[in-house]
Amino acid sequence: MGARKRLRAENNKEAKKQVSFASLRNVPTSPRKMRLVADMIRGKEVNTALDMLKFSSKEASRRVEKLLLSAIANWKEKNEGVRMEDANLYVKSINVDSARILKRLRPAPQGRAHRIRKRSNHVTIYIDSNVDNQQEIKS
């Protein structure tokens, strides 16, 4: 690996240590259905997002709720002295990417076959504190 590439990789690694996130891989739900839930909480305060997910009727919201709780736990681990209520956490970004697709065949009339695609996805949630951003603006 070249010097520039190594330096950039080290910088990316250090930047990732500062960010609190959680990711969920190979969720057996179509990305389109998961994006509906992700759009619902993007940019919202963490407590509001948890309430929205808890009372949502969508099946994907249960998985995203658990993932958000994991991201909050990761944030607490990095910021041990800070209370969650004082930090004013919010969902900075949430990404839903397509994962592997299982391809199956379903019999069709007259000896034909129709392809069925069983889609899955990857979800990543980034959370951040509004207090840090407000202090930077005031400075």
Side-chain angles (χ1 to χ4, degrees), residues 3 21-22 34-35 38 60 75 85 98 132 134 139:
F21 70 98
M34 190 64 83
R35 283 188 190 108
W75 181 86
E85 292 79 21
S98 181
D132 297 339
Q134 290 171 357
S139 302

Side-chain angles (χ1 to χ4, degrees), residues 13-29:
K13 201 174 195 181
E14 288 299 318
K16 217 171 193 182
K17 286 181 184 176
Q18 305 301 323
V19 178
S20 298
F21 70 98
S23 62
L24 187 61
R25 314 288 273 155
N26 295 318
V27 183
T29 307

Side-chain angles (χ1 to χ4, degrees), residues 20 71-82 84 89 127:
S20 298
I72 293 168
N74 292 341
W75 181 86
K76 283 181 183 176
E77 190 176 303
K78 288 183 181 179
N79 305 300
E80 291 179 19
V82 183
M84 192 178 107
L89 293 176
I127 60 173

